[in-house]
Amino acid sequence: METAEEHESKTTNQPNGNHCSEIESFRALVGDSDANSLKEFIDKINSNDEDGVTVTNTSIVLSPSSDKVHRTAVHNFFKEKLKFLGGIMKEAEVLRRGKGRDETPYDSRGSDHWPEHLGKFLRFHLCKENKDTQEALGVIGKMLGIQPRAFGFSGTKDKRAVTTQRVTVFKQRANKVANLNKRLIGIKVGDFSYVNEGLLLGQLHGNRFAITLRGVVADSEDTVKVAAVALGKHGFVNYFGMQRFGSGSIPTHLIGAKLLKGEWKEAVSMILDPRDDDIRRIREYYKESEDIDGTLRQLPRFLVAEKAILQCLKKCPGNYLQALKAVPRTLRMMYVHSYQSYLWNHAASMRVQKYGNEEVVLGDLVYYEADALPSEGTCTSVKVVNKEDILSGNYTVSDVVLPLPGSRVIFPNNDIQQYYQDLADKDGVSLMESMHNVKEFSLTSMTGAYRRVFGKAKDFEWELIKYTDVSIPLATTDLDIVSKANEGDGVKKESLELELGDQLALKLSFTLPASCYATMAIRELLKTSTSTAFHKTLN
C-alpha cells in the first residue's frame, strides 16, 4: 500500500532532522517493521534534499490492516505529526488500508489463492485460562506465523478467569487452526465457520458469567439465600471495577489527573513507578546507572507503556510529553478514562448516600427513550427530571444515569453536580476548560458519556452446594468441555459428581451488559471490597 509518491517539487514544510520522536511514536502505533520503513523513507528525502535533488517516484509501503480505527489512526499520524508528507499522501489508499488490490493478501502469510465461495474470515471460539485475550492470540499468531492485528474480537476477557469468546482471523483454514490444540496449553479453539466480516472492538453486547464462591461462611444458609435473592431482584450499584484503575502501586486515575493538568514529567514518573520487588530493583538500577538499554533488556514484556517511554527518552532525552505520546494510544488514553471513572464512582456513591436506591429524585438525569443504551454510551437521549416527571411516575431508578465528564454531557441539576466539581477541584483538574494545548489529554476535547447508576443481572440463577474435598472442581468450564471433546471424550456440564460435606459454596450464573463488572455484583452480594489489596489482607 503506497502512502506517498511522486513528490515533484519542494514544499514550504520540508522535513528537518531525523524526526526520531515521531518515528518512535509511529513504532508504538504500527510496530518495528513499518517504523523502520518510515525512517528509511525520511532519510532518503533528507539525503536528496541535502544533495539539492528533487524527490521523485518515492514511496513508502506499510503493512495492511483490516481495522478501520487503526487505519484512521495511521492516516491522522501522518496528517498531524509529519505534515511535510501531507501533500504526497494517497489519502484514499490510507483509508482503504488493508483492502487494497485483490491480489494483495491481508497478511504476508495469508493465502493468495482463497476460494471464492468461502468467507475471508475464519470465526472460532477461543477458550482460555490464566491468560488475557491479547496474550492468548499472541501465542496463536506466533504459531500461525501471522501478526496479532490479523485477529478481530469484540472485547477483551480477564486473565484471572476461564473465559470463552468469539474471534475472527483473516484467511486461515479451520483445520490449520484446529491442529494448534495439540500444542496449546491453557488455550483451546473450536466451533469454526467462515464469515465475510471480521469482529471489531465495541461490538460486544454483554457477557455471561458463571461464578462459584467457595468457603461461604454465614450464620445460616437462609442468610445466604436471602442475599442471593436480593441481588437478583434489586441489582447493584453499577461501579467501574477495581481493574479499571490498574494493579500498579499508583492507581491509573492519579496518572490521568497529572495528564489533564499537563504535568508530563510527573505522569512519566508515576508510570515508571515500581509495582513489585523485581521491577523496583530494575528501576533502582535505572536511577543509579541511567542505562536505558540495560533497563529495557530487564523489563518484562508486559510493561508496554514503560518500554515505550524509556525507548523514546533514549532518543529524545527530557521530552516527557513525546515519551507519553509514544505509549500506544489505547493504553495512554486509559489513564484519562480512569480519571473519568474515578469521578463517576464517587458521584454514584454520593447519589446513593443522599437519595437512596429506590426512587428517582428531582434533578436526576434519566434515559428517556426505550432504545437508550443499556449501560454506558454517548446516547443523547438524556433529560433532567422535573416535577412533572416525578408526579407522572414515568421513570424508575433503573433509568437514572450519571455522566462521565466531557464536552457534550450535562450534569444532574442537584447536589451531585457540585460534588463532581468539588472532586475535580480537589485534584486541581478543570472539568470545563483545557489546562494545556494537548487535546487528547483534555476533558474538553472528549465528548463524554453516560452510565446507568444501577445495574441488574439478567437470567439470574443461583445454587447452594455442599462439598468436602476442596481440590475437586465444583463446576465444569467451557475449557474443560472443549479439551475433553478434542481428546475424543465428550463431557456434559451435568456430569460432575460431588460428595456432600460440611463446606458451603454459592454458584451464580447471570448475564450483564457490556462494560458492567461482575466483581461489582459480587461486592454487593458479599458487602465487602473486591480489591486486590483487601484480599491480600485476608491471605
Side-chain angles (χ1 to χ4, degrees):
M1 177 210 69
E2 296 182 355
T3 61
E5 70 173 22
E6 297 181 357
H7 185 41
E8 296 180 351
S9 62
K10 294 185 180 180
T11 69
T12 58
N13 187 13
Q14 289 295 323
N16 52 61
N18 57 13
H19 290 273
C20 67
S21 60
E22 289 84 354
I23 292 172
E24 290 308 309
S25 295
F26 195 60
R27 189 183 307 278
L29 178 64
V30 300
D32 290 336
S33 177
D34 284 352
N36 292 337
S37 297
L38 177 61
K39 184 178 186 304
E40 293 174 4
F41 180 64
I42 292 177
D43 288 345
K44 186 173 182 180
I45 294 177
N46 283 332
S47 175
N48 286 333
D49 281 345
E50 291 170 2
D51 294 338
V53 178
T54 300
V55 182
T56 60
N57 297 325
T58 301
S59 65
I60 174 174
V61 180
L62 303 178
S63 303
S65 169
S66 68
D67 186 342
K68 182 178 179 181
V69 175
H70 183 265
R71 298 197 304 271
T72 302
V74 172
H75 173 76
N76 288 337
F77 176 87
F78 279 96
K79 185 168 65 174
E80 296 172 7
K81 305 297 184 185
L82 296 173
K83 294 182 180 178
F84 66 89
L85 295 179
I88 56 176
M89 288 179 61
K90 291 180 66 177
E91 181 173 338
E93 283 295 327
V94 175
L95 295 178
R96 292 173 60 227
R97 184 176 169 86
K99 297 182 180 178
R101 296 180 295 273
D102 291 339
E103 66 270 22
T104 303
Y106 169 85
D107 188 275
S108 59
R109 300 296 183 93
S111 172
D112 289 311
H113 307 289
W114 194 256
E116 292 184 2
H117 68 281
L118 287 182
K120 293 185 178 181
F121 292 88
L122 175 66
R123 187 175 66 195
F124 60 93
H125 277 94
L126 167 69
C127 302
K128 61 180 183 60
E129 181 176 15
N130 289 329
K131 293 177 178 62
D132 60 32
T133 301
Q134 288 91 338
E135 182 183 358
L137 293 180
V139 172
I140 294 172
K142 189 173 183 180
M143 289 183 173
L144 294 173
I146 59 177
Q147 297 181 7
R149 61 173 177 259
F151 296 96
F153 50 91
S154 55
T156 57
K157 301 292 177 243
D158 289 344
K159 177 177 182 177
R160 296 180 181 276
V162 181
T163 69
T164 303
Q165 68 186 111
R166 280 185 171 182
V167 174
T168 56
V169 62
F170 187 79
K171 286 187 176 180
Q172 292 293 325
R173 292 287 193 172
N175 58 352
K176 183 178 180 181
V177 179
N179 285 335
L180 300 181
N181 282 322
K182 302 171 184 177
R183 295 186 286 152
L184 290 168
I185 300 175
I187 304 171
K188 295 298 175 186
V189 293
D191 191 18
F192 300 97
S193 62
Y194 295 99
V195 295
N196 294 321
E197 298 291 336
L199 290 171
L200 297 173
L201 283 172
Q203 294 178 328
L204 184 68
H205 295 295
N207 292 292
R208 180 72 181 171
F209 296 90
I211 299 171
T212 303
L213 303 174
R214 291 172 171 267
V216 174
V217 178
D219 52 12
S220 70
E221 289 187 18
D222 287 340
T223 301
V224 181
K225 294 176 181 178
V226 168
V229 170
L231 176 61
K233 183 177 180 180
H234 301 296
F236 54 95
V237 181
N238 192 26
Y239 292 118
F240 288 98
M242 294 301 102
Q243 55 266 53
R244 185 85 168 195
F245 305 100
S247 57
S249 56
I250 296 180
T252 52
H253 78 274
L254 295 180
I255 300 173
K258 294 295 183 184
L259 294 175
L260 292 170
K261 291 188 288 185
E263 298 176 359
W264 317 128
K265 184 176 181 179
E266 291 82 354
V268 166
S269 178
M270 285 183 168
I271 294 173
L272 295 179
D273 195 78
R275 305 182 187 189
D276 54 36
D277 291 339
D278 288 338
I279 299 173
R280 188 175 293 109
R281 173 183 55 78
I282 295 171
R283 187 180 184 190
E284 289 302 317
Y285 169 81
Y286 170 62
K287 289 174 65 177
E288 294 174 6
S289 66
E290 296 187 355
D291 175 12
I292 292 181
D293 287 332
T295 304
L296 286 169
R297 284 193 295 269
Q298 296 182 61
L299 280 178
R301 292 180 61 184
F302 66 85
L303 297 179
V304 176
E306 291 84 345
K307 282 195 169 187
I309 285 173
L310 289 174
Q311 285 170 341
C312 189
L313 290 178
K314 177 185 174 183
K315 301 281 186 180
C316 309
N319 194 336
Y320 297 103
L321 175 57
Q322 194 59 49
L324 289 165
K325 289 187 174 182
V327 177
R329 177 175 172 79
T330 53
L331 186 53
R332 68 178 184 259
M333 291 309 297
M334 173 193 71
Y335 302 121
V336 178
H337 294 155
S338 177
Y339 187 75
Q340 290 176 301
S341 303
Y342 157 79
L343 292 178
W344 192 97
N345 273 7
H346 281 269
S349 289
M350 183 56 66
R351 165 61 178 77
V352 175
Q353 180 181 326
K354 287 186 71 69
Y355 303 119
N357 59 0
E358 295 183 0
E359 296 180 343
V360 178
V361 300
L362 198 66
D364 269 340
L365 298 180
V366 293
Y367 281 137
Y368 66 86
E369 289 188 3
D371 61 350
L373 297 180
S375 177
E376 176 184 352
T378 57
C379 178
T380 57
S381 304
V382 170
K383 65 167 291 183
V384 178
V385 171
N386 55 36
K387 291 181 180 179
E388 289 75 15
D389 297 322
I390 298 292
L391 292 174
S392 69
N394 288 336
Y395 302 108
T396 68
V397 74
S398 64
D399 298 312
V400 176
V401 300
L402 283 173
L404 289 141
S407 62
R408 297 187 182 179
V409 299
I410 59 174
F411 288 86
N413 191 17
N414 52 34
D415 292 345
I416 306 304
Q417 178 177 14
Q418 187 59 46
Y419 189 69
Y420 272 98
Q421 190 63 56
D422 292 342
L423 272 176
D425 288 345
K426 180 181 177 182
D427 296 326
V429 172
S430 174
L431 297 179
M432 304 301 177
E433 298 179 359
S434 177
M435 305 180 71
H436 46 71
N437 59 1
V438 183
K439 289 185 177 181
E440 67 176 304
F441 297 142
S442 173
L443 290 176
T444 58
S445 65
M446 304 172 68
T447 58
Y450 297 99
R451 180 179 179 87
R452 292 187 188 274
V453 176
F454 301 100
K456 193 171 183 180
K458 294 182 179 180
D459 304 321
F460 185 83
E461 300 173 355
W462 62 273
E463 174 189 3
L464 283 178
I465 300 174
K466 288 190 173 182
Y467 64 99
T468 298
D469 191 341
V470 296
S471 65
I472 295 178
L474 300 183
T476 302
T477 69
D478 288 344
L479 186 60
D480 295 330
I481 296 170
V482 173
S483 298
K484 291 292 184 181
N486 288 335
E487 295 169 6
D489 180 18
V491 60
K492 295 182 179 180
K493 290 187 178 181
E494 296 79 12
S495 63
L496 285 173
E497 295 184 6
L498 301 173
E499 180 181 348
L500 294 179
D502 55 0
Q503 295 286 320
L504 187 64
L506 176 61
K507 187 175 179 180
L508 305 166
S509 299
F510 53 87
T511 301
L512 293 178
S515 84
C516 285
Y517 292 78
T519 50
M520 294 299 100
I522 301 303
R523 179 182 186 272
E524 178 67 26
L525 177 73
L526 301 179
K527 306 297 184 185
T528 60
S529 172
T530 55
S531 69
T532 302
F534 174 78
H535 281 270
K536 282 182 178 179
T537 65
L538 298 181
N539 294 334

